Amino acid sequence: MVFFIGVLRYAGRDLMMGKGKKDPDPINISQDMLKNDELIDLAEIQSEIEGHEYMNNALTRSARFRTNCDFLPPDSVKLRKAYFCRNETGYFRKEVANNPLQAMMNPEMMTGMLKGQFFMTIFNFGLISLTSTFFSGFVNAKMPFPLAQSFRSMLQQGLTLSNLDVRYVSSFSWCILCIYGLQGLQNLITGTGSMKEEMEMMTGGMMGGQQKGGMPGQPKDFTKIFKGEIENYEILTSKFSLEHAEKQVLLQHRHTKKMRF
Amino acid sequence: MDPKRRIKKEEVIRTSKEAEMFNDALVAKAKVLGFITGGMVAGTLGLEGVQGFIFYFITHIICSACICFSLNFTAMPFFKDLSAIMTGNIFTNLLSYLLFWVMFYNLIYVL
């Protein structure tokens, strides 16, 4: 009978694999503004769009520049650095006031992203509680390795025999083992598994660390972000990697008969 | 690029980051099935405790060796370093291995 319970659990996991596709689309501020259902005069939101667009674009542009600065000759690198960081007139030295309208736009982003996350975590919790209520009191599996006694309360939740070897675990722990163990397989079968949102919640989100304001719920603090960018530029070292480009081309073709030196 | 070309000192090898990340992710995905079958083998052999974990590392070495073999042991156009295949993602598949080990151990020895 325990065998059948194990099989049923496995079938439950297979079901879960198919429901892992709740990826919400990444949301841009500017896209959000333009996707409103009401008809809005361009003039009304022109000022908002301008401010946000330029700030978003400047940040992404400077990030891209920093990653690819090796392809530019050193003078161009200096020029761009100066544009961003020059004292008094550089782009990132601007003082930016926090727009109160920002706080209004953010709840939309919040519901978009967190909906997917909450749904999947609630689904997981629901599954765990369902299995533990249905299949309580069954000894489900025997672990092939010896465990410490302190794990007893965690692994043998519904079992009445209190002196049972810790190697015999309840169905609850088998459920958790299945969830975490089959994520790898889920990643192969579907695009990504259903735990991507849970992992994101636990590690604080991928983009939250970058933007320093936190993506959901907080107005972006541009002064801090700009200061961070200026510091990034201070530690930036770039080596012009195309400096010897001509030499490399000649080396490549030195065996061609047409070239004679 | 010809994999057998020797790199001179002035040359700088530029790789696109998306390609690197894609390759690493692909290696990780390729290992998952290997670990699952390793777990099945460990379960059917009835390995206990420490032996099971040693077999985990053996499976890891075998999977890395298979991947290196399929690359013909030259990292050049795809990876910077072949040893990164062996040392990366050591414990990522531990839980999948554990699940299948426990499952097959139970199916065959306990029930």
Side-chain angles (χ1 to χ4, degrees):
Chain A
M1 196 164 80
V2 181
F3 171 71
F4 276 121
I5 290 167
V7 170
L8 268 177
R9 193 60 27 73
Y10 191 46
R13 295 298 86 66
D14 274 342
L15 257 184
M16 201 171 72
M17 281 194 208
K19 290 193 180 175
K21 295 186 182 172
K22 298 284 170 186
D23 288 345
D25 291 330
I27 296 181
N28 262 337
I29 290 184
S30 50
Q31 270 186 18
D32 240 337
M33 271 195 262
L34 296 173
K35 274 184 185 174
N36 265 334
D37 282 329
E38 325 160 350
L39 295 173
I40 303 183
D41 257 317
L42 182 64
E44 278 180 15
I45 51 176
Q46 183 82 31
S47 53
E48 298 171 22
I49 288 182
E50 267 182 358
H52 290 317
E53 285 268 357
Y54 283 157
M55 282 178 204
N56 275 337
N57 277 344
L59 279 176
T60 48
R61 181 186 163 205
S62 86
R64 253 186 298 150
F65 166 62
R66 266 186 296 117
T67 50
N68 293 326
C69 60
D70 286 341
F71 289 110
L72 291 171
D75 291 338
S76 311
V77 171
K78 281 186 199 165
L79 193 73
R80 284 165 174 83
K81 260 199 220 181
Y83 171 73
F84 285 125
C85 306
R86 207 181 308 140
N87 279 331
E88 308 292 327
T89 48
Y91 192 83
F92 287 147
R93 303 274 179 189
K94 271 197 226 164
E95 297 292 327
V96 179
N98 272 332
N99 210 344
L101 279 172
Q102 276 246 290
M104 227 165 61
M105 301 310 298
N106 275 323
E108 281 192 36
M109 266 172 26
M110 238 169 66
T111 55
M113 273 185 63
L114 293 187
K115 238 193 229 176
Q117 291 180 4
F118 275 150
F119 194 79
M120 278 324 296
T121 53
I122 287 177
F123 182 74
N124 267 332
F125 280 135
L127 210 59
I128 290 178
S129 58
L130 197 78
T131 57
S132 58
T133 50
F134 270 148
F135 298 106
S136 63
F138 287 120
V139 170
N140 214 356
K142 179 180 173 198
M143 310 277 265
F145 44 87
L147 286 172
Q149 294 296 320
S150 50
F151 287 117
R152 185 185 293 255
S153 61
M154 185 175 78
L155 293 175
Q156 291 185 345
Q157 272 210 353
L159 305 177
T160 47
L161 286 171
S162 55
N163 266 339
L164 203 56
D165 223 350
V166 193
R167 300 177 85 175
Y168 294 93
V169 300
S170 68
S171 50
F172 172 72
S173 66
W174 169 249
C175 179
I176 292 192
L177 193 64
C178 270
I179 289 179
Y180 284 106
L182 290 175
Q183 277 176 46
L185 211 53
Q186 282 183 23
N187 281 331
L188 285 184
I189 295 182
T190 70
T192 59
S194 62
M195 298 291 274
K196 194 177 177 192
E197 290 93 359
E198 261 199 38
M199 284 192 329
E200 272 194 27
M201 263 171 60
M202 283 198 268
T203 60
M206 303 181 299
M207 304 288 278
Q210 266 189 25
Q211 303 239 359
K212 280 184 195 169
M215 258 184 73
Q218 286 185 26
K220 283 191 191 163
D221 201 0
F222 280 113
T223 44
K224 271 192 210 156
I225 297 179
F226 285 175
K227 272 187 198 151
E229 287 289 325
I230 294 175
E231 284 169 10
N232 283 336
Y233 275 112
E234 281 172 17
I235 57 178
L236 184 75
T237 57
S238 66
K239 179 174 186 286
F240 184 38
S241 55
L242 301 176
E243 198 175 339
H244 301 284
E246 301 98 351
K247 205 174 175 186
Q248 287 183 26
V249 169
L250 294 176
L251 275 176
Q252 245 183 332
H253 295 284
R254 68 188 179 279
H255 295 304
T256 325
K257 280 190 182 165
K258 286 188 184 169
M259 290 191 174
R260 286 177 203 165
F261 298 98
Chain B
M1 266 176 64
D2 187 15
K4 290 191 185 159
R5 191 162 71 108
R6 263 175 284 131
I7 312 295
K8 313 276 180 185
K9 255 190 194 172
E10 302 99 24
E11 286 193 56
V12 174
I13 303 297
R14 285 178 298 279
T15 55
S16 86
K17 284 184 188 154
E18 293 94 6
E20 271 185 27
M21 283 174 14
F22 182 79
N23 286 341
D24 289 337
L26 205 61
V27 164
K29 283 184 194 174
K31 282 190 187 171
V32 170
L33 273 180
F35 276 112
I36 289 179
T37 46
M40 292 183 192
V41 169
T44 48
L45 285 179
L47 297 178
E48 305 247 333
V50 184
Q51 294 174 357
F53 289 110
I54 293 179
F55 192 73
Y56 176 79
F57 291 112
I58 295 178
T59 320
H60 185 236
I61 293 176
I62 292 179
C63 283
S64 315
C66 284
I67 292 180
C68 293
F69 182 71
S70 74
L71 287 172
N72 287 325
F73 292 105
T74 50
M76 197 44 237
F78 303 117
F79 299 98
K80 279 186 185 155
D81 217 0
L82 268 190
S83 63
I85 301 178
M86 182 93 72
T87 55
N89 287 334
I90 295 186
F91 295 111
T92 318
N93 303 102
L94 180 66
L95 283 170
S96 306
Y97 174 85
L98 193 71
L99 172 71
F100 281 89
W101 177 21
V102 169
M103 189 195 298
F104 274 75
Y105 183 82
N106 280 297
L107 286 181
I108 296 178
Y109 287 95
V110 175
L111 298 173

